[in-house]
């Protein structure tokens, strides 16, 4: 991974980019959304392999549609087909795919898997969700905030619930963009210390802030954005019942949402468990922007695909080998 001025070759976490690069990506997404036809052959003939080790609606559909809208192709690889690390090693999968496609999007469990894939493959790797982070989601989230509020810097963004992958990425991107991000979790469910401290350090440079609390009321009061996610993430299904008792005071319901600013918006990465982390009256209210947020996955990811895949290196691997024959 590179320094702050050169563009990273991969999109593994929002942390790997400079604040200016994150802003540039958001502005590219705004342009692509406004003029999709202008980008319809930007990645002509390029193929994106999509490796899924967990289920998906939004990530699968928006990457699939997004690469096609840019003139390219997609290839869906299900958990059963690849069986990453069991049927075949991460190294061997990377070394095969780099000769066949020009980019890989991967949704998996351990974050180290996407890091290793990026280390081994000469083509761009995009993190489509790991247990640690969900960077494409955060780009769509802040694109949505930008569209609705006209800015991100200086806004109070309150994440209520589990200090999970989505919370981490919301912290990272919020810190990059100068937001005041609050995270309210039950004791024992905080974001990882390294994630919070990175975000706090970066926020200190962007005039933002990152604050952790166990009090949802403190987090929500006068907030511009209220955000929640499921209490048990994919892979934690067997903890769902035990978690419900800890998380009930953190439900985003009408009473909690009323403590935010009168024009506050409600956000959720989806899928939602209605009646758990959010009630129908909040997720279905006019200030809920969850479907605009979901649509913005498409536009934000087209910007990421374009930035990473416009200079394909797959041809370079083959050309280098021909020279050595
Ligand atoms: N928000 C999100 O990533 O949705 P999927 O799990 O359906 O892809
Ligand atoms: N935290 C959730 C997000 C789903 C998009 C999960 O990892 O299951």
């Amino acid at each position: 991974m590179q320094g702050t001025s050169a563009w990273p070759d991969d999109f593994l976490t929002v942390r790997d980019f400079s604040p200016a690069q994150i802003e540039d990506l958001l502005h590219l997404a705004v342009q692509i959304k406004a003029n999709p036809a202008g980008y319809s052959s930007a990645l002509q003939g390029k193929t994106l392999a999509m490796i899924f080790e967990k289920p998906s609606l939004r990530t699968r559909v928006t990457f699939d549609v997004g690469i096609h809208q840019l003139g390219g192709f997609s290839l869906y690889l299900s958990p059963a087909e690849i069986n990453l690390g069991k049927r075949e090693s991460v190294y061997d999968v990377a070394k095969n795919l780099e000769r066949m496609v020009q980019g890989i999007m991967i949704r998996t469990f351990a974050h180290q898997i996407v890091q290793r894939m990026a280390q081994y493959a000469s083509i761009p790797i995009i993190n489509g969700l790991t247990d640690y982070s969900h960077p494409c989601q955060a780009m769509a989230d802040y694109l949505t905030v930008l569209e609705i509020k006209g800015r991100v810097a200086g806004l109070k963004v309150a994440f209520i619930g589990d200090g999970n992958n989505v919370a981490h990425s919301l912290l990272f991107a919020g810190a990059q963009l100068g937001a005041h991000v609050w995270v309210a979790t039950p004791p024992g469910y905080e974001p990882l210390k390294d994630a919070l401290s990175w975000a706090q350090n970066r926020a200190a440079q962007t005039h933002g802030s990152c604050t952790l609390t166990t009090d949802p009321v403190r987090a929500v009061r006068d907030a511009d954005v209220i955000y929640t996610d499921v209490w048990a993430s994919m892979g934690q299904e067997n903890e769902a019942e035990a978690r419900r008792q800890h998380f009930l005071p953190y439900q985003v319901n009408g009473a909690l949402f009323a403590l935010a600013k009168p024009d506050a918006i409600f956000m959720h990465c989806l899928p939602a468990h209605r009646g758990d982390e959010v009630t129908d009256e909040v997720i279905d209210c006019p200030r809920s922007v969850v479907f605009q947020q979901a649509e913005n996955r498409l536009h934000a990811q087209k910007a990421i695909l374009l930035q990473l895949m416009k200079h394909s290196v797959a041809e370079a691997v083959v050309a280098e080998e021909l020279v050595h024959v």
Side-chain angles (χ1 to χ4, degrees):
M1 210 37 75
Q2 301 159 27
T4 49
S5 51
W7 279 90
D9 298 325
D10 308 292
F11 194 77
L12 305 188
T13 105
V14 173
R15 286 171 62 152
D16 301 329
F17 294 78
S18 68
Q21 287 169 335
I22 294 299
E23 280 189 25
D24 286 352
L25 275 175
L26 283 185
H27 290 136
L28 180 58
V30 169
Q31 283 171 27
I32 293 172
K33 185 171 181 178
N35 177 26
Y39 298 86
S40 60
S41 54
L43 294 183
Q44 190 136 28
K46 301 205 173 175
T47 302
L48 178 75
M50 308 189 301
I51 301 175
F52 280 94
E53 298 205 287
K54 292 175 178 174
S56 170
L57 171 68
R58 281 146 292 274
T59 305
R60 175 169 180 191
V61 173
T62 52
F63 269 108
D64 205 351
V65 171
I67 187 80
H68 282 81
Q69 288 183 356
L70 293 168
F73 304 93
S74 66
L75 199 59
Y76 171 72
L77 299 163
S78 71
E81 274 159 310
I82 296 244
N83 211 349
L84 201 59
K86 298 188 188 82
R87 181 171 186 269
E88 198 159 3
S89 71
V90 174
Y91 179 84
D92 286 358
V93 170
K95 295 319 257 181
N96 274 265
L97 287 179
E98 71 177 12
R99 289 163 180 267
M100 302 164 185
V101 300
Q102 288 72 48
I104 300 172
M105 191 290 306
I106 173 164
R107 165 169 288 197
T108 187
F109 292 87
H111 191 71
Q112 289 77 4
I113 293 176
V114 294
Q115 290 175 319
R116 285 170 52 212
M117 191 73 88
Q119 186 190 334
Y120 304 144
S122 57
I123 55 174
I125 306 297
I126 300 172
N127 174 1
L129 180 146
T130 65
D131 290 345
Y132 180 69
S133 65
H134 197 1
C136 297
Q137 181 68 52
M139 296 305 289
D141 297 340
Y142 285 106
L143 174 60
T144 310
V145 173
L146 191 63
E147 285 178 334
I148 296 169
K149 300 288 181 188
R151 68 188 169 110
V152 174
L155 295 183
K156 182 175 180 183
V157 176
F159 180 93
I160 313 297
D162 187 22
N164 62 14
N165 43 10
V166 170
H168 288 166
S169 290
L170 201 71
L171 277 165
F172 298 152
Q176 296 276 35
L177 296 165
H180 299 292
V181 187
W182 286 65
V183 176
T185 73
Y189 293 95
E190 297 87 358
L192 291 176
K193 281 196 173 66
D194 89 283
L196 184 69
S197 65
W198 185 92
Q200 285 174 328
N201 287 334
R202 179 49 58 94
Q205 298 160 18
T206 61
H207 307 289
S209 60
C210 295
T211 311
L212 186 61
T213 178
T214 53
D215 181 357
V217 170
R218 255 188 93 206
V220 164
R221 202 176 291 286
D222 297 324
D224 299 281
V225 176
I226 308 301
Y227 198 123
T228 191
D229 184 17
V230 291
W231 292 337
S233 286
M234 291 180 274
Q236 299 171 331
E237 289 80 3
N238 59 355
E239 295 176 34
E241 256 330 293
R243 282 174 170 250
R244 186 168 282 118
Q245 287 147 39
H246 297 286
F247 281 92
L248 256 180
Y250 295 79
Q251 181 186 69
V252 179
N253 50 36
L256 192 65
F257 193 43
L259 301 175
K261 281 192 182 153
D263 63 349
I265 54 174
F266 171 74
M267 303 184 80
H268 193 307
C269 57
L270 305 179
H273 292 165
R274 290 162 174 261
D276 280 351
E277 76 272 6
V278 61
T279 57
D280 285 346
E281 71 174 322
V282 173
I283 198 169
D284 294 329
C285 84
R287 284 188 283 127
S288 168
V289 298
V290 297
F291 300 122
Q292 181 173 343
Q293 211 185 327
E295 180 197 325
N296 278 338
R297 292 290 302 278
L298 174 68
H299 310 297
Q301 288 160 195
K302 282 169 77 176
I304 294 165
L305 288 169
L306 192 53
Q307 175 59 38
L308 263 57
M309 288 175 69
K310 62 187 176 192
H311 306 298
S312 168
V313 291
E315 294 89 346
V317 173
V318 177
E320 200 176 297
E321 289 207 345
L322 283 175
V323 169
H324 288 94
V325 166

